Amino acid sequence: RTGGAVAGPVGEIVGGTVGAAVGAAVEIPNAVITSVEGVREPSYVTIEEPVVVGEPLPASVEVRPVPGYTDYRYAVVNNQRLIVDPRTRRVIRVIE
């Protein structure tokens, strides 16, 4: 979205798209994915807006640690398991 400051609305769209693509390309260890896939807790949070890779989660969403991996957190939102960057709360991956 930072492209909006430089090139207006078109730059914002391109910047957001590039940012999302970069977020989708993050290498996540298979053990982290497997750990989050194994989470069987129900979704306690439902949010109106769609969950998007590269976008931060609302403050109302609790993010939990992935055991053994301090670089990742997870959340269960709208019955989807998400891997989240703990520093920015941005969604790194949606586990289907």
Side-chain angles (χ1 to χ4, degrees), residues 14-57:
V14 171
T17 303
V18 169
V22 169
V26 171
E27 285 293 324
I28 301 170
N30 284 335
V32 171
I33 295 168
T34 302
S35 179
V36 174
E37 284 175 334
V39 171
R40 294 292 169 229
E41 62 193 58
S43 179
Y44 295 112
V45 177
T46 301
I47 58 175
E48 295 284 326
E49 58 273 1
V51 174
V52 178
V53 172
E55 292 295 319
L57 291 173

Side-chain angles (χ1 to χ4, degrees), residues 50-70:
V51 174
V52 178
V53 172
E55 292 295 319
L57 291 173
S60 62
V61 175
E62 179 184 359
V63 294
R64 298 182 173 146
V66 175
Y69 292 90
T70 58

